[in-house]
Amino acid sequence: MPKIGLPAWTWLSPIVGSLLLFGSKLGGPYDLVLAIGLVACVLAAVHHAEVVAHKIGEPYGTLVLAVAVTVIEVSLIVSLMLSSGPAGAGLARDTVFAAIMIILNGLVGLCLLLGGARHLEQRYGQAGVSAALATLAALAVLTLVLPNYTTSAAGPVYSNSQLAFVGLVSLVLYGTFVLVQTMRHRDYFLPSGSAAHDEDAHAAPPTALAAWLSLALLVVALVTVVLLAKSLAPTIEAAVAGAGAPKAVVGVIIAGLVLLPESLAAVRAARADRLQTSLNLALGSALASIGLTIPVVAVVSLVMGWPLSLGLDAKAMVLLMLTLLVTTLSLATGRTTVLQGVVHLVLFAVYLFTTIVP
């Protein structure tokens, strides 16, 4: 294994994680072991996605990472939905909203703060970021705000036909963005300038054997994550309920878990003065989180006949609109400093606090 450059933990984690499934019915302290295995498999999955991404280059690399992370997120949401039944109607909404707030405020804020503190001012391509934000704003409002104002179905839900239509629209928007990012205007998303001096950005790509092995291990890790998540779903919900926390905290836990490895990659890129790569990772993940998650959970909802509550409450809508406005203003000039980072991190702190203390 050392000959192909894959650390031992990256191929041991999926194997050990799959073996842990044989004791998934034990419960009790064994659930902690399953949780550790789940985190290890998530980290391994993203590592292998990074290997594949490095092999195929930008901007395809960040797309692979975003899709891999979203597959993990969808698997966790669907597992919890299946274990909760109709009671989990708002889980997808809470998780997608949490992912948006974590990415646009927490992750982007941390990248801008740490990158600005180290390099004073950072630059990036305005065209790609603007395209991503325009698509993200449309997806967020159509999926999380508009359901509160339609009249075909009572409450913050879409009717079946509306849900199917919005799921299709989400796929169209995300698919069009991917087409622009990878084919028609891929130069909008390519790092330039200071990135040329970063050793990590120009390290030798992995061998073909390493890339194919990572692709196989990525599939194994993702399947293992799905099965481990299904086993841990009741425990996660019981722990949140036992702590007396709002149900929305479950969505924060899921989003935080799946975004942690990619967040570390984005922060590393920002500290290395590769803000374009950092923003590609962050905004691409936010887009995939909505554009791929909503269609999948919509299908699950329609097939199972369960309600799917997508509309945010008034407090969350205010935070979402403020976040989209501030992000648009912060990333409107092609240059950032620590100030924008602090503003986003303050908004993230407000989101976390008002989620726990609504």
Side-chain angles (χ1 to χ4, degrees):
M1 199 61 67
K3 293 181 180 180
I4 56 177
L6 292 179
W9 70 270
T10 63
W11 54 268
L12 281 174
S13 295
I15 295 173
V16 174
S18 60
L19 293 176
L20 290 176
L21 290 167
F22 289 101
S24 59
K25 303 295 184 182
L26 295 176
Y30 192 75
D31 285 339
L32 178 60
V33 178
L34 291 178
I36 294 173
L38 175 62
V39 173
C41 287
V42 169
L43 293 172
V46 177
H47 174 86
H48 292 303
E50 286 181 330
V51 173
V52 176
H54 192 190
K55 181 65 176 178
I56 62 179
E58 288 289 342
Y60 303 101
T62 54
L63 177 62
V64 170
L65 285 172
V67 172
V69 167
T70 304
V71 168
I72 298 173
E73 179 183 349
V74 170
S75 68
L76 290 170
I77 293 174
V78 172
S79 296
L80 288 173
M81 285 180 66
L82 293 176
S83 66
S84 303
L91 179 62
R93 172 200 62 207
D94 295 337
T95 304
V96 169
F97 178 56
I100 293 173
M101 300 303 285
I102 289 173
I103 292 170
L104 293 189
N105 288 326
L107 178 55
V108 169
L110 190 60
C111 289
L112 297 186
L113 177 62
L114 295 180
R118 191 168 188 176
H119 304 285
L120 296 183
E121 183 178 86
Q122 292 187 291
R123 296 173 181 269
Y124 55 89
Q126 181 61 43
V129 170
S130 295
L133 286 177
T135 309
L136 180 58
L139 282 169
V141 173
L142 289 176
T143 57
L144 300 177
V145 177
L146 187 59
N148 289 326
Y149 300 100
T150 55
T151 57
S152 296
V157 300
Y158 279 128
S159 66
N160 288 348
S161 60
Q162 289 173 334
L163 183 59
F165 180 74
V166 169
L168 178 61
V169 166
S170 298
L171 280 177
V172 168
L173 285 173
Y174 182 68
T176 304
F177 173 79
V178 170
L179 175 67
V180 169
Q181 183 185 36
T182 59
M183 296 181 65
R184 296 186 67 86
H185 300 285
R186 65 184 299 263
D187 55 303
Y188 289 176
F189 303 88
L190 294 177
S192 60
S194 58
H197 304 290
D198 180 65
E199 294 181 1
D200 292 336
H202 295 275
T207 63
L209 176 60
W212 280 108
L213 184 58
S214 283
L215 181 60
L217 289 170
L218 174 61
V219 174
V220 173
L222 292 177
V223 172
T224 304
V225 166
V226 173
L227 297 177
L228 286 173
K230 184 177 180 180
S231 300
L232 285 170
T235 303
I236 294 174
E237 292 188 316
V240 171
K247 286 187 176 181
V249 174
V250 176
V252 177
I253 293 173
I254 295 174
L257 174 66
V258 300
L259 292 173
L260 177 60
E262 194 169 37
S263 297
L264 296 176
V267 169
R268 286 198 302 268
R271 285 178 55 82
D273 203 17
R274 291 187 287 120
L275 188 59
Q276 181 69 60
T277 298
S278 184
L279 292 176
N280 285 349
L281 284 166
L283 298 180
S285 294
L287 285 165
S289 180
I290 305 179
L292 298 179
T293 301
I294 294 300
V296 172
V297 297
V299 170
V300 172
S301 174
L302 293 172
V303 170
M304 303 300 293
W306 295 339
L308 185 62
S309 180
L310 289 178
L312 297 170
D313 59 24
K315 176 199 68 179
M317 283 194 295
V318 170
L319 286 175
L320 175 61
M321 294 304 177
L322 179 59
T323 295
L324 292 174
L325 174 63
V326 170
T327 305
T328 302
L329 294 174
S330 296
L331 302 179
T333 63
R335 297 182 294 180
T336 62
T337 66
V338 294
L339 175 60
Q340 289 98 326
V342 171
V343 172
H344 283 275
L345 288 175
V346 167
L347 290 180
F348 182 59
V350 171
Y351 161 69
L352 288 179
F353 183 79
T354 55
T355 299
I356 299 172
V357 186

